[in-house]
Amino acid sequence: MAAPGRHIGHSVQRNGRFILYNLEQLLGHRGFGWTSALRQQAAEANKESTESVVIPRKKTWSREAVLEALASTVSRDPTAYPYQFQDDPYLSPRTSTEFKLFSLSQESGRSAAKYIVNNNPKLFTKDFAEPHIPCLMPETVSLRLEEVSEEALKERITLRKVTAAVDMYDQLLQAGTTVSMETTHSLLDLICLYSDRDPVQDGEPQTDDAEFGEELKKRKARVRRASDFLKFTWKENNNAERIFNLLPERDTRCYSALIRGMVKVGVHQSHRLNAADVHIFNALISGAPDVRDKFNERWDLVELLNQMNQQKVRPDLLTFNSVLKALRRCGFLAKTQALHTLNEMKALGIAPSLASYDHILAVFYKSGSPANNTDLLQEVIAELEGRIFTCQDPDDVLFFSSAMRICLDSKDLELGYKIQSLVDVGENWRLLGDSFQQSIYYGRFFNLLCMMEHIDVVLKWYKQIIPSLYYPNPQGMRDLLQALDTDSRLDLLPSIWKDIKTLGHDNKPDLVEELLSLMAREKHSSEVQESFAACALDVKSVFDLRPSIEWSAASLSHITTLLLRANKTRQAWEMLQLFKSRNRVPSEGLLNNFLSVCHSDGDSQKAVQLVQLSAAFCLPTTWRLAKRALAEFELTEEQR
């Protein structure tokens, strides 16, 4: 049975191949209605399919790519507080002062927790995060290498143990061990960075330095400089200078560390250098104006630029920024040399940063003087329009606030909008600086809007940037009140009062008095007067809860007037009693208005009491009030 089975299977396989071959031939000669054009296209497609397939390169995505893609689909919520405060609604800041306090409190808590974790690593050995998050685990802050070796010195340098690193270096020299130049460079950098002091670690308490206090007393006898306010000072013959003098060979890197460390704290000494790097020249240029008194002497830093050229040291961005920053203190020479410096930058192919333009603007637009011509700023903004910036200089964060100040001084609203559009490009908003600098920028922008823009647009921006980006100060709220007054939208004052309370400015008597004066200045519709009266009573309740706030005669008069216009005579009479208890004198106009309300109500008894109240204050208008009461009211003999 096996042999016949194999024969049958072989026959079926052979006949099957024959049938398939004839079927392919038949289908190949049949067109099925294809035209010649279709056959040509099919042939081309067949040819292309035989060519090699090019597989694209695999794109490597970062771990945060998905989160970044999701974040790009969500816009900022203008009604929400900054994200860092959303975990604890109780710590939602209402003012810039509270923002600083709460943010520093959070950072202090993180530093304290980090200090505890790092100093007790044995208590935090379990890692629950998946994937592993290194920053949540204890860091190595304790010394592990105790033997005298260069590796132990490197460990102390890495952990920023200045005193321990210097001690280890001395022990190596005493043992006759030669320390490599690379390690010596790192040690000098560490000592000069922290001015030969151990830095305060995260979470450690800061202690007052008695020597620092003595140094400040010595400096009080001379002109104060910016360097006087620095925490660290430079001691003569400190460890940096001692180690520098012990070196058998001193290269450019050694001089660079020493000079930069001295310039950082405002100490200037002469050093003869045969060769210097760009970092040395940058430090010398930035410190040159501090050792000169006259404008033309300060511009002697051009000699340093000539030395750079002679030594064939190519300047970088920070070199030109240091020159431009020094020009801000060179008086009449600044304007001519600033543009020349900018042209030199472009000739060398160095693109200016925001700090470069900030220094140029500071030269041409002095703070406090009116900016009548904004052509230069317009040229700068036109050149920067649509670009995305990264921070290249610490002073980059000052550009936007300085530019907005110029717009505010010149009242150029269109240019202010262009600057704001530039801030909105990409992540340029990060270059607004810290919370204080950001508050300055948006405060100036909002002030410009209140002065120059229609109130509807002002309110649109008001809702967009408050409180998510800006906490207006009392002056900012005054600007908004003036804008409402200019466009005759005083009906919105009650809602603004709610914001004033939310922002914590209800304890500012001058601001509250200005709000009340706008509401009481003229009469409005009955509906508006009702809302004004409710707002006035709310103001009164706030003042009653804060005895430290003293009532002014104007505030009492405004509230009483608003209550009278809303036919709240009883509450208005209670306000009149406050005049006496607070030793304030009501105005003649207020008493006349109150008497008119009494006449319309037919309340003769209240009119007599009003005259008696005026007599108690010994007001000169008492006899006129009495005359009106006698003429306009039907009084009893006793009342007469």
Side-chain angles (χ1 to χ4, degrees):
M1 293 296 293
R6 284 196 300 270
H7 177 73
I8 293 173
H10 178 71
S11 176
V12 170
Q13 184 179 9
R14 183 184 59 186
N15 294 334
R17 285 200 302 268
F18 176 75
I19 294 172
L20 288 174
Y21 174 78
N22 290 332
L23 185 61
E24 288 175 358
Q25 293 295 323
L26 177 64
L27 293 176
H29 292 290
R30 297 282 303 272
F32 290 101
W34 283 14
T35 63
S36 59
L38 290 176
R39 289 195 186 96
Q40 183 178 359
Q41 291 178 4
E44 292 177 356
N46 230 352
K47 181 180 179 182
E48 292 178 359
S49 64
T50 59
E51 295 179 357
S52 61
V53 178
V54 179
I55 301 177
R57 291 183 178 180
K58 180 182 178 181
K59 183 174 179 59
T60 303
W61 297 93
S62 64
R63 295 183 177 181
E64 299 83 12
V66 176
L67 294 177
E68 291 173 354
L70 292 175
S72 65
T73 63
V74 181
S75 58
R76 179 181 57 83
D77 183 4
T79 64
Y81 287 95
Y83 180 76
Q84 67 187 101
F85 302 110
Q86 293 182 9
D87 290 339
D88 192 347
Y90 179 76
L91 296 179
S92 297
R94 301 179 301 173
T95 63
S96 58
T97 304
E98 287 187 354
F99 179 91
K100 181 178 180 180
L101 176 63
F102 294 166
S103 58
L104 290 179
S105 299
Q106 283 190 340
E107 191 61 32
S108 176
R110 292 191 187 98
S111 298
K114 190 174 181 180
Y115 176 77
I116 294 174
V117 170
N118 291 339
N119 286 273
N120 301 275
K122 296 180 180 179
L123 303 178
F124 303 94
T125 56
K126 293 185 178 181
D127 186 5
F128 297 98
E130 182 63 35
H132 174 67
I133 304 177
C135 65
L136 297 181
M137 300 303 294
E139 297 178 1
T140 303
V141 295
S142 58
L143 300 175
R144 296 183 177 180
L145 301 178
E146 297 296 337
E147 69 276 5
V148 179
S149 63
E150 186 170 343
E151 291 299 323
L153 175 58
K154 292 180 179 179
E155 180 191 42
R156 283 152 177 77
I157 295 174
T158 304
L159 296 178
R160 300 184 301 167
K161 305 287 186 181
V162 178
T163 304
V166 172
D167 293 341
M168 180 59 65
Y169 181 82
D170 292 339
Q171 293 178 30
L172 288 171
L173 292 185
Q174 293 174 4
T177 305
T178 302
V179 181
S180 66
M181 188 58 71
E182 182 181 357
T183 304
T184 305
H185 291 161
S186 301
L187 178 60
L188 284 175
D189 288 340
L190 177 69
I191 298 173
C192 295
L193 178 63
Y194 294 107
S195 299
D196 199 13
R197 288 176 173 82
D198 283 318
V200 177
Q201 301 294 333
D202 292 336
E204 287 185 355
Q206 297 187 9
T207 57
D208 295 332
D209 195 339
E211 297 180 1
F212 174 70
E214 292 295 329
E215 181 69 19
L216 281 183
K217 290 180 181 179
K218 294 179 182 178
R219 295 186 178 192
K220 287 183 179 179
R222 59 177 175 80
V223 179
R224 303 292 292 275
R225 292 175 177 170
S227 58
D228 295 346
F229 299 94
L230 295 174
K231 173 68 177 175
F232 297 133
T233 57
W234 189 269
K235 300 178 184 178
E236 294 184 4
N237 299 321
N238 61 6
N239 286 316
E241 294 184 7
R242 181 177 63 84
I243 294 175
F244 178 83
N245 294 327
L246 290 175
L247 293 176
E249 296 181 0
R250 307 180 187 102
D251 58 4
T252 303
R253 177 76 181 277
C254 298
Y255 280 101
S256 177
L258 191 65
I259 293 176
R260 294 167 72 184
M262 297 173 72
V263 172
K264 182 173 72 73
V265 295
V267 177
H268 309 284
Q269 294 182 5
S270 60
H271 294 275
R272 293 185 178 180
L273 298 177
N274 296 325
D277 60 6
V278 66
H279 303 295
I280 295 178
F281 280 110
N282 292 348
L284 294 175
I285 291 172
S286 62
D290 290 333
V291 297
R292 305 289 185 178
D293 294 328
K294 297 181 180 180
F295 293 150
N296 55 349
E297 292 178 349
R298 289 175 180 172
W299 183 238
D300 285 347
L301 56 86
V302 71
E303 298 177 1
L304 295 172
L305 299 177
N306 292 332
Q307 291 182 23
M308 291 185 70
N309 188 28
Q310 294 172 3
Q311 299 183 20
K312 297 182 179 180
V313 177
R314 178 179 174 82
D316 59 7
L317 173 64
L318 295 180
T319 306
F320 285 104
N321 283 353
S322 299
V323 173
L324 291 172
K325 190 173 184 178
L327 282 173
R328 298 172 65 166
R329 303 168 60 183
C330 291
F332 61 90
L333 296 173
K335 292 185 178 180
T336 303
Q337 300 297 335
L339 296 179
H340 177 68
T341 303
L342 185 63
N343 292 332
E344 285 290 329
M345 292 180 68
K346 296 180 178 179
L348 291 175
I350 299 175
S353 70
L354 292 181
S356 311
Y357 292 114
D358 178 63
H359 298 322
I360 292 175
L361 294 178
V363 168
F364 285 88
Y365 301 100
K366 295 296 183 181
S367 178
S369 59
N372 299 323
N373 189 355
T374 60
D375 292 344
L376 178 62
L377 179 57
Q378 290 180 358
E379 292 180 10
V380 171
I381 298 302
E383 185 173 346
L384 301 179
E385 188 174 4
R387 290 170 54 184
I388 298 177
F389 305 99
T390 56
C391 189
Q392 305 176 68
D393 188 296
D395 291 335
D396 283 348
V397 297
L398 303 177
F399 170 76
F400 287 114
S401 59
S402 299
M404 192 57 70
R405 174 187 60 81
I406 298 171
C407 294
L408 180 60
D409 293 341
S410 60
K411 297 179 176 60
D412 193 334
L413 180 62
E414 182 179 357
L415 188 56
Y417 276 133
K418 290 182 180 179
I419 295 174
Q420 177 59 30
S421 299
L422 185 60
V423 172
D424 292 335
V425 174
E427 292 189 346
N428 289 346
W429 58 270
R430 295 185 181 276
L431 294 177
L432 289 176
D434 57 14
S435 60
F436 179 72
Q437 287 291 335
Q438 183 173 324
S439 177
I440 291 177
Y441 170 80
Y442 281 111
R444 290 169 176 170
F445 180 52
F446 187 67
N447 190 357
L448 180 63
L449 290 172
C450 291
M451 283 197 302
M452 307 300 298
E453 191 57 275
H454 189 269
I455 188 59
D456 292 335
V457 181
V458 173
L459 292 176
K460 174 187 174 183
W461 280 102
Y462 177 78
K463 296 177 180 178
Q464 187 172 346
I465 65 178
I466 297 173
S468 59
L469 296 175
Y470 171 54
Y471 299 95
N473 55 16
Q475 182 58 45
M477 299 307 297
R478 287 193 189 93
D479 296 336
L480 179 59
L481 294 179
Q482 293 173 5
L484 292 171
D485 185 21
T486 301
D487 286 346
S488 301
R489 291 299 306 275
L490 299 181
D491 56 298
L492 299 175
L493 289 177
S495 61
I496 300 301
W497 162 248
K498 294 179 181 179
D499 293 341
I500 290 176
K501 286 202 305 179
T502 302
L503 294 169
H505 298 321
D506 51 354
N507 59 347
K508 307 295 189 298
D510 295 341
L511 177 61
V512 177
E513 185 172 328
E514 184 170 352
L515 174 78
L516 293 172
S517 66
L518 290 176
M519 290 193 293
R521 189 178 60 189
E522 55 192 16
K523 291 184 178 180
H524 299 271
S525 63
S526 58
E527 183 180 354
V528 174
Q529 289 298 160
E530 285 290 337
S531 64
F532 282 179
C535 180
L537 289 175
D538 194 19
V539 172
K540 177 181 179 298
S541 64
V542 170
F543 274 53
D544 290 341
L545 293 174
R546 297 182 177 178
S548 59
I549 302 179
E550 293 190 2
W551 284 98
S552 65
S555 298
L556 290 171
S557 298
H558 295 327
I559 293 179
T560 307
T561 301
L562 292 171
L563 295 175
L564 287 175
R565 289 175 182 170
N567 297 321
K568 299 183 182 296
T569 309
R570 182 179 60 81
Q571 291 92 333
W573 181 255
E574 293 175 357
M575 291 299 301
L576 278 181
Q577 305 309 311
L578 285 177
F579 279 94
K580 190 173 183 179
S581 62
R582 302 295 176 126
N583 295 322
R584 299 292 183 266
V585 179
S587 63
E588 181 179 355
L590 176 63
L591 296 178
N592 282 318
N593 291 337
F594 206 107
L595 190 61
S596 299
V597 172
C598 292
H599 181 264
S600 61
D601 294 342
D603 192 345
S604 59
Q605 183 61 31
K606 194 72 69 177
V608 172
Q609 293 176 356
L610 184 66
V611 176
Q612 291 175 340
L613 180 65
S614 177
F617 283 112
C618 300
L619 297 179
T621 188
T622 303
W623 69 273
R624 285 189 289 269
L625 291 175
K627 184 177 180 180
R628 278 191 61 189
L630 289 171
E632 298 177 6
F633 293 88
E634 296 182 2
L635 304 178
T636 64
E637 193 63 30
E638 181 181 358
Q639 290 173 338
R640 286 178 177 277

